[in-house]
Amino acid sequence: MEKEILVTEFDLKRLESLLDMCWDSTSFDEKNLECLKKKIFNCIVVPPEFIPNNIITMNSTFTVENEITKEKKTYTLVFPEDADIRGNKISILAPIGIAILGHKVGESIEWLAPSGPKKMTFTEIHYQPETSGQFNL
């Protein structure tokens, strides 16, 4: 059974709308859409003002450490239209983006990348919209 994650009410509404829109498009991987749907179906929904400041929400910027190479990288979790791998902005519809949502500093996640299984640990959140009082970002 997958770990329950925390998601804000605002993020949940936007993610549900995104899924509804994407089902009608051939531009998105159906497997990824199913994974995101399953993840948000099993989430714990909280008002944005009550989300803990160590949880990765949409538009959060955070640092992860690769558990094998110990390399650290900083990313932002974004909606597909804002994704930019060169700018370290990861789409919520990418396998890694789906894996990241709702986790917290200190936790590790695993996902299947095209190059094989990956494992990383969240080491720091630099920015979370809700902590900054931006409940609709």
Side-chain angles (χ1 to χ4, degrees):
M1 183 172 163
E2 192 170 316
K3 174 191 175 307
E4 287 183 326
I5 57 154
L6 296 179
V7 174
T8 69
E9 294 166 337
F10 185 68
D11 282 349
L12 180 64
K13 287 178 187 171
R14 292 186 304 165
L15 291 168
E16 289 173 335
S17 293
L18 176 66
L19 286 171
D20 287 344
M21 179 191 75
C22 290
W23 284 120
D24 297 331
S25 171
T26 57
S27 303
F28 299 99
D29 185 325
E30 211 170 285
K31 181 180 174 188
N32 292 349
L33 296 175
E34 279 295 334
C35 287
L36 180 58
K37 180 180 176 182
K38 180 181 174 188
K39 187 164 195 169
I40 65 173
F41 179 78
N42 292 314
C43 71
I44 298 169
V45 183
V46 298
E49 57 272 17
F50 295 122
I51 194 90
N53 64 0
N54 65 343
I55 301 290
I56 297 170
T57 61
M58 291 304 301
N59 297 302
S60 290
T61 301
F62 53 91
T63 297
V64 293
E65 180 178 51
N66 181 304
E67 293 201 3
I68 295 169
T69 66
K70 301 302 181 193
E71 178 184 11
K72 290 186 177 185
K73 288 192 176 184
T74 299
Y75 297 104
T76 302
L77 182 62
V78 298
F79 285 91
E81 63 272 14
D82 297 320
D84 175 12
I85 198 61
R86 289 189 196 116
N88 294 327
K89 294 181 178 182
I90 299 172
S91 171
I92 184 61
L93 291 182
I96 185 175
I98 297 166
I100 290 167
L101 181 68
H103 287 278
K104 62 184 176 182
V105 171
E107 288 186 328
S108 294
I109 62 165
E110 294 182 41
W111 80 99
L112 186 58
S115 59
K118 301 287 181 191
K119 188 172 183 180
M120 64 185 184
T121 300
F122 298 102
T123 60
E124 185 177 358
I125 292 183
H126 304 280
Y127 172 76
Q128 181 204 61
E130 295 79 11
T131 300
S132 300
Q134 298 178 313
F135 302 121
N136 295 317
L137 183 62

